[in-house]
Amino acid sequence: MNGTAIALDIGTSGIRGQLLDLGARKVIRTCITTRNPIPGCNVMDHMSFAIQYGQELAHQILVDAIKQIISKLTSEPLIRIAVCGNPIQLSLFEGIDIRDLAYAGDNKLKIEGVKRKDRTGHIADGKIIGMPGVQIIIPPAVRHEIGADALAMMLKSGFLDDDYCMVTDYGTNAEMALKVKDKIYTGSAAAGPAMEGQQIGNGMIAGPGALSDLVRTPQGWRSKVLDERLFAKDGPVLNIRSDIAHNEGLAPEGITGTGVVALVYACQQDERVIDSEISNGSVRITRKIKFSTEDYKEAGKALGAIRAGHLTLMITAGVNPQDIKKMYMAGASGTYVDPVKAKAVGLVPPDSEHVIQVGNTSLELAKDLAFNPDMLAELEELRKKLVTDHIMFASCDTFRDLYTYEFGYWNDGMPLNRYRRAMERYGVEGYLDRQTPTDVTRVCDTDIREVGESLDILDISPLMSSSWDCSGCEKCVRGCPEKALSYSEGTFKIRTGHCLGTSCQRCQENCPEHKFDYSAFKMNA
């Protein structure tokens, strides 16, 4: 078939879109955003915003951003759009009630009068996003809690072909799965935005100018900075111990998630971390870019959540961690991070001898569906065959216990020996200390396997506005930590993608007249 289509990966921290030539079966161009447009830092924030302020509003915000991406990619008519993402993002995109995803357990659903929604794979009409006549291809969720992104992670990585292995899509919402013979255990850790370079002082997503790694050399730590094609090039050389930076090579504009992991590793290796604090102030990268104690602790929350998630799956499955010899790493962070450093800071199980970095599997599945919509039937059959046991970390005592130790270690200076004793109690002693050689296979050089003729990066942030009778003191504006709120000529405006949403609300709390009403904001016409 001739014509064009769009493949979309709707991620928690950003959206990636590709324009496809259906006849030639190739990528024409790529466009990515620096953030998800819905207010909040993670998937739980997005869900909370939608439930508290209206799922229709969240749908409008997401669709507005996606239309901006599409208009950047093409002005020509489209045959179809194929999407992939977690159940919450895809439900908000399609305008489906998400309350059945918000509550754990059937009893709570019954009390609230909420029925589970059908999330099998299907083809919808483009009218759901204001583009009638365009086919919308929506892949199935394995179960209500296990989305199409997790299915993509398992299907496009090679994970399903092994007997004992793990796979993780490293990001704000870290999807993970453990395979023990024919049984699959899955979980999803709300790791927070540090894995995508957000909520870090000088953080940014994986894009041109992002510091993505550090490599030890005789002169110091050579930084690696992504160029316009997202390939890692040499940047400044850092001496972590003496805090001296030699500015040479490609200048970094910020730090992405994998760069955060590399900095955590380097600080630990060069003994700059004492009791969860970076000694002698921040690590200097350039005159404007630094890595602070606050950044280290924010990163620790993400690293700790992922390690606690991996351990929870293995403990629940009753499997010896030393049997897990293979690890698949997916997503942008899973592609650019150094697996050796990742293993040292807890992102990869210590006994994994073979690590395979597979790139953005969610976008790859969306692309497959755009080229071949008949693949939906194959995915449905695969979904039915998968025997899965999903662990809800939010209500899992094992995860809560392990994450308490992780938080204490990364943020409160808790001695590692206390965590070691907990490992013994769970029967996984030695987990924190074992070191094994790591054989690395990179399936692709960049997380997006093919970008086409161009790559555009957009800071898309739809606007909501509202107004009311107040003094206009602007304490709400000055108190916004992300500078997402503005005031002009009697109207307040919020850049939704920059707003922290329900996890913040400082604008409302700072109003001395108690007139600020977040719920009054609506999308700009």
Side-chain angles (χ1 to χ4, degrees):
M1 173 185 286
N2 293 323
T4 56
I6 296 282
L8 289 172
D9 166 30
I10 307 176
T12 304
S13 57
I15 304 171
R16 298 186 175 230
Q18 293 191 311
L19 179 65
L20 309 175
D21 183 329
L22 295 178
R25 296 182 67 86
K26 70 175 186 179
V27 176
I28 299 174
R29 63 182 67 95
T30 300
C31 179
I32 67 177
T33 70
T34 58
R35 61 193 74 243
N36 186 296
I38 300 173
C41 292
N42 54 54
V43 69
M44 301 307 292
D45 289 347
H46 295 165
M47 181 165 59
S48 176
F49 173 87
I51 291 175
Q52 186 167 339
Y53 296 113
Q55 296 179 58
E56 176 59 26
L57 177 59
H59 169 73
Q60 291 173 3
I61 291 171
L62 188 55
V63 169
D64 181 271
I66 286 171
K67 284 186 173 180
Q68 291 185 56
I69 294 169
I70 293 173
S71 66
K72 184 68 177 179
L73 288 169
T74 184
S75 59
E76 299 297 320
L78 295 169
I79 302 296
R80 65 180 69 100
I81 298 170
V83 299
C84 194
N86 66 50
I88 292 170
Q89 302 296 343
L90 291 190
S91 296
L92 292 175
F93 166 78
E94 196 175 359
I96 293 177
D97 191 354
I98 62 170
R99 289 178 299 164
D100 61 319
L101 301 172
Y103 306 127
D106 290 333
N107 287 338
K108 178 65 174 177
L109 294 177
K110 187 175 181 180
I111 292 171
E112 296 293 332
V114 176
K115 294 183 179 180
R116 291 200 181 276
K117 298 299 179 182
D118 180 11
R119 291 186 174 86
T120 54
H122 60 283
I123 299 177
D125 188 274
K127 64 184 180 182
I128 63 172
I129 60 169
M131 299 178 67
V134 177
Q135 290 182 332
I136 307 292
I137 316 296
I138 300 176
V142 180
R143 279 177 42 183
H144 291 288
E145 308 93 339
I146 312 168
D149 56 342
L151 183 62
M153 173 185 74
M154 291 185 267
L155 180 66
K156 300 297 292 183
S157 64
F159 166 84
L160 296 174
D161 299 328
D162 292 299
D163 283 336
Y164 290 89
C165 62
M166 292 192 78
V167 61
T168 298
D169 189 336
Y170 294 88
T172 302
N173 188 50
E175 304 281 355
M176 56 188 69
L178 166 68
K179 189 166 186 285
V180 181
K181 295 185 178 180
D182 292 330
K183 193 158 188 181
I184 296 173
Y185 299 83
T186 61
S188 179
M195 285 305 301
E196 302 283 358
Q198 298 182 19
Q199 295 297 97
I200 299 296
N202 294 117
M204 63 182 290
I205 68 162
L211 188 154
S212 63
D213 197 8
L214 297 174
V215 178
R216 191 188 283 279
T217 70
Q219 293 74 37
W221 292 94
R222 167 71 70 179
S223 64
K224 295 293 182 177
V225 182
L226 300 182
D227 66 7
E228 292 297 326
R229 301 286 293 180
L230 298 185
F231 288 103
K233 302 296 183 182
D234 287 348
V237 175
L238 316 179
N239 190 312
I240 301 292
R241 292 183 188 274
S242 63
D243 205 29
I244 296 174
H246 300 281
N247 294 323
E248 53 187 74
L250 188 60
E253 298 175 12
I255 310 168
T256 193
T258 57
V260 169
V261 172
L263 281 160
V264 169
Y265 173 81
C267 287
Q268 291 181 343
Q269 290 291 304
D270 286 3
E271 300 177 340
R272 280 291 300 272
V273 180
I274 300 174
D275 295 335
S276 304
E277 304 275 340
I278 293 180
S279 61
N280 301 320
S282 302
V283 174
R284 180 174 174 266
I285 299 167
T286 68
R287 183 175 297 179
K288 295 182 178 180
I289 300 174
K290 298 179 180 179
F291 186 72
S292 67
T293 289
E294 290 73 21
D295 297 333
Y296 178 86
K297 291 184 176 183
E298 189 66 31
K301 295 174 187 176
L303 302 176
I306 292 172
R307 180 160 60 185
H310 287 162
L311 276 164
T312 298
L313 292 184
M314 288 185 276
I315 291 168
T316 301
V319 66
N320 187 336
Q322 296 183 70
D323 291 335
I324 309 302
K325 302 295 186 183
K326 187 176 288 188
M327 179 71 185
Y328 293 92
M329 304 181 75
S333 294
T335 301
Y336 295 116
V337 73
D338 179 345
V340 175
K341 298 184 185 74
K343 183 186 285 189
V345 300
L347 287 176
V348 173
D351 302 292
S352 300
E353 297 175 352
H354 189 192
V355 175
I356 303 98
Q357 295 173 289
V358 296
N360 187 322
T361 53
S362 187
L363 184 60
E364 284 300 304
L365 182 59
K367 190 165 64 175
D368 287 349
L369 288 168
F371 285 134
N372 181 20
D374 292 340
M375 187 182 176
L376 268 181
E378 299 173 29
L379 291 177
E380 274 298 315
E381 288 303 311
L382 175 61
R383 181 188 69 84
K384 294 174 184 177
K385 291 178 182 178
L386 284 175
V387 180
T388 60
D389 190 350
H390 185 72
I391 292 91
M392 293 286 290
F393 290 158
S395 57
C396 176
D397 290 338
T398 301
F399 179 82
R400 283 202 298 265
D401 186 34
L402 292 172
Y403 186 68
T404 298
Y405 284 103
E406 290 283 356
F407 188 89
Y409 168 69
W410 290 104
N411 281 260
D412 296 334
M414 183 194 78
L416 203 56
N417 276 337
R418 288 186 60 186
Y419 201 0
R420 291 189 179 101
R421 289 195 291 271
M423 295 294 99
E424 293 174 6
R425 191 170 70 250
Y426 281 108
V428 289
E429 58 273 7
Y431 188 89
L432 300 175
D433 302 295
R434 284 195 299 272
Q435 296 182 2
T436 57
T438 306
D439 178 42
V440 179
T441 299
R442 290 179 65 90
V443 174
C444 47
D445 291 324
T446 64
D447 71 304
I448 300 177
R449 300 185 187 185
E450 181 185 3
V451 299
E453 63 192 31
S454 65
L455 170 67
D456 290 305
I457 301 175
L458 305 180
D459 185 8
I460 290 177
S461 195
L463 286 173
M464 298 191 302
S465 61
S466 187
S467 60
W468 46 79
D469 183 21
C470 69
S471 65
C473 69
E474 297 192 38
K475 284 188 177 180
C476 53
V477 175
R478 293 191 296 274
C480 178
E482 300 298 317
K483 310 302 180 187
L485 179 65
S486 62
Y487 176 73
S488 178
E489 298 179 353
T491 299
F492 292 92
K493 293 182 179 180
I494 293 176
R495 292 185 296 161
T496 63
H498 292 259
C499 177
L500 299 179
T502 57
S503 66
C504 178
Q505 303 284 277
R506 292 186 195 176
C507 49
Q508 197 157 273
E509 294 169 0
N510 287 340
C511 179
E513 302 169 56
H514 304 292
K515 290 185 176 180
F516 195 101
D517 183 6
Y518 196 104
S519 64
F521 281 85
K522 305 298 179 186
M523 280 288 292
N524 282 9

